[in-house]
Amino acid sequence: MLGEIGAYAKKLIADGISGYRLLADDVLIGEDVTIAPTATIIGPAVIGKGTEIRPGAYIRGNVITGEGCVIGNSSELKNCILLDGVQAPHYNYIGDSVLGNRAHLGAGVVCSNLKADGKNVVIKADEDYETGRRKVGAILGDGADIGCNSVINPGTVVGKNTSVYPLTSLRGVYPSGCIVKSQKEAVKRV
């Protein structure tokens, strides 16, 4: 999916969407989108209805958002999909990632997308999943909530309705309905 985001955004822009308008040749925005004057949007990008793009936000291409998202102060997005209601309100980086409905990133959360060794990203779960890509960020399930200043290492998957403590470095796959207290400690919600 990550390799197809740009082409799909271009198709949506070319075909048009009812209730959306062109902001620029390669940027399509829905009704009631608010964009701060200091935000930068480089296409292709499709911004969902009712989304708020705050001061200093930097959208640098191949981005599709759902409705009612918040792209916040000094947040940077590239090659990603944000489903409805995603909040990345303060100093976030989202690269090569997919964030589920109502996922929330606390201030300073980074969805890291490139391994230091330059090798392809492998998603490590019960078995390893070779992505064939050098850049893969986070995959967050619906309602995932990531605490402030956490780092989501390349190829990390966080399940639906899972919460992560602040200042946590994540690597691997975390199940749905958990509270993640550290990289190696996840407890089921009661």
Side-chain angles (χ1 to χ4, degrees):
M1 172 190 305
L2 294 175
E4 303 299 320
I5 295 172
Y8 189 61
K10 287 178 183 177
K11 181 178 180 349
L12 291 172
I13 293 164
D15 293 349
I17 302 171
S18 178
Y20 283 64
R21 67 179 175 84
L22 283 173
L23 180 67
D25 286 341
D26 56 356
V27 177
L28 188 67
I29 64 170
E31 296 169 344
D32 301 320
V33 169
T34 58
I35 303 171
T38 56
T40 300
I41 304 173
I42 298 170
V46 178
I47 309 299
K49 295 177 181 178
T51 292
E52 180 183 0
I53 302 174
R54 293 180 177 167
Y58 181 30
I59 298 172
R60 53 179 258 229
N62 298 341
V63 172
I64 300 172
T65 79
E67 296 181 7
C69 294
V70 175
I71 301 166
N73 175 38
S74 301
S75 291
E76 179 179 351
L77 284 68
K78 75 85 135 157
N79 198 53
C80 59
I81 296 174
L82 281 58
L83 298 182
D84 291 346
V86 169
Q87 293 190 7
H90 316 283
Y91 308 104
N92 303 116
Y93 176 73
I94 306 167
D96 300 281
S97 298
V98 178
L99 279 57
N101 293 296
R102 299 168 319 285
H104 175 264
L105 304 182
V109 171
V110 172
C111 297
S112 179
N113 61 343
L114 180 65
K115 292 173 51 175
D117 63 10
K119 294 180 181 176
N120 285 347
V121 174
V122 175
I123 297 174
K124 297 190 177 283
D126 292 338
E127 60 184 271
D128 290 349
Y129 296 92
E130 175 59 53
T131 66
R133 298 182 58 86
R134 283 188 60 239
K135 292 186 176 183
V136 176
I139 301 170
L140 303 183
D142 292 349
D145 188 13
I146 312 300
C148 294
N149 292 315
S150 291
V151 174
I152 305 173
N153 285 288
T156 296
V157 178
V158 177
K160 181 178 180 178
N161 296 320
T162 287
S163 297
V164 176
Y165 276 15
L167 299 171
T168 304
S169 176
L170 299 176
R171 181 180 311 282
V173 176
Y174 298 86
S176 296
C178 288
I179 299 172
V180 178
K181 297 181 176 187
S182 71
Q183 189 175 60
K184 297 187 191 262
E185 184 184 5
V187 297
K188 269 303 208 195
R189 288 187 187 277
V190 182

